[in-house]
Amino acid sequence: METFLGLDYPTLWYLVVGALFSGYGILDGFDLGAGAMHLFINNDKSRRIALNAVGPVWDGNEVWLVIGGGTLFAGFPVFYATLFSAMYIPFMLFIWFIILRAISIEFRSKEPMKWWRSMWDVSYSISSAMIAFLLGVVLGNVLQGFPLDENFDAIEPNLWMFLNPYSIIVGLTTLAMMMMHGAIYLSLKTEGKLFDHVVQMLEKCMIGFIIMYIIMSLYTLIFLPHLAERFKEYPELFILPVLAVLSIANIPRLAKKQKYLSAFVFSSLTFSLLLIMVAIQLYPSLLIATNDPANSLTIYNAAASEKGLELMLTIAAIGTPLVLTYTFIVYRVFWGKVKLDEHSY
């Protein structure tokens, strides 16, 4: 098998896909979180400020989801087909909520009527929360695995099969984490009474996330012991969960000192560390067949051809710096507190 920098191409592509979804989680995570708490902001002006905090960047953040999905399809087409066909209903709901959220953002301030704006506020907040929750549901099922036949098709998939206790816990943990991430971001973009209100919400979001993270960790250790096997095999990897816990603990410490930019950095670092742990827990598997390990999907039996992966890595090496440059410029231009004008949402 051909290698590059000592790693085979399926492993390299596994790292690329992981990096892109980490970028998506960090960037779209805060605007989904800000949207999920939108209804807890009281008056129209404050809601407009909160909406305009994510207004210039939300659609650019979703580019990372498009690229991540594209790389997943290009690099691991068998896994892509199995996952999307098995979880058809959750993914269709996910797409509908993405569409509904975009419409809500664009339509919300088109008319001055209170009922009109309230309707789109509810739509925006619920769709943001459901997107975050469904992302966690999908992740929980990937970690847990589900029955697959010899053709890598899910056996009798249905909605209730995937709304199991673990996926719901991971979904709620993801939602809580994104709400915390979003509250930190809003604290960087607001001032005055709205800033004070956001800080109060941040305190509650941090407590909610820490509680859900503890519940998720305990459930994983008790009921999904296979996810700890890699860490038992390589004890040096325990540095990752230790760093994740320290990163999480540092967020409320920094928030208390009103160092919100540093808190945002550590919130982003927490996203990355948790997803790195997920990647290590699964590798080299992509989807575990709970009925027969021989039917599991790995980065090798689900990957595209080596020549195809090699070509796509070249394209990724060219395209990734462009996306990073674009992202940097957008955030640099719209840095600072939100000020409403005639062009605002």
Side-chain angles (χ1 to χ4, degrees), residues 47-56 189 338 340 343-345:
R47 287 182 176 182
R48 286 191 67 202
I49 292 172
L51 189 61
N52 281 276
V54 302
K189 304 293 288 183
V338 175
L340 296 179
H343 302 295
S344 300
Y345 285 109

Side-chain angles (χ1 to χ4, degrees), residues 271-285:
F271 261 102
S272 297
L273 287 170
L274 293 180
L275 287 174
I276 289 171
M277 288 167 59
V278 167
I280 290 173
Q281 288 168 334
L282 288 173
Y283 182 85
S285 296

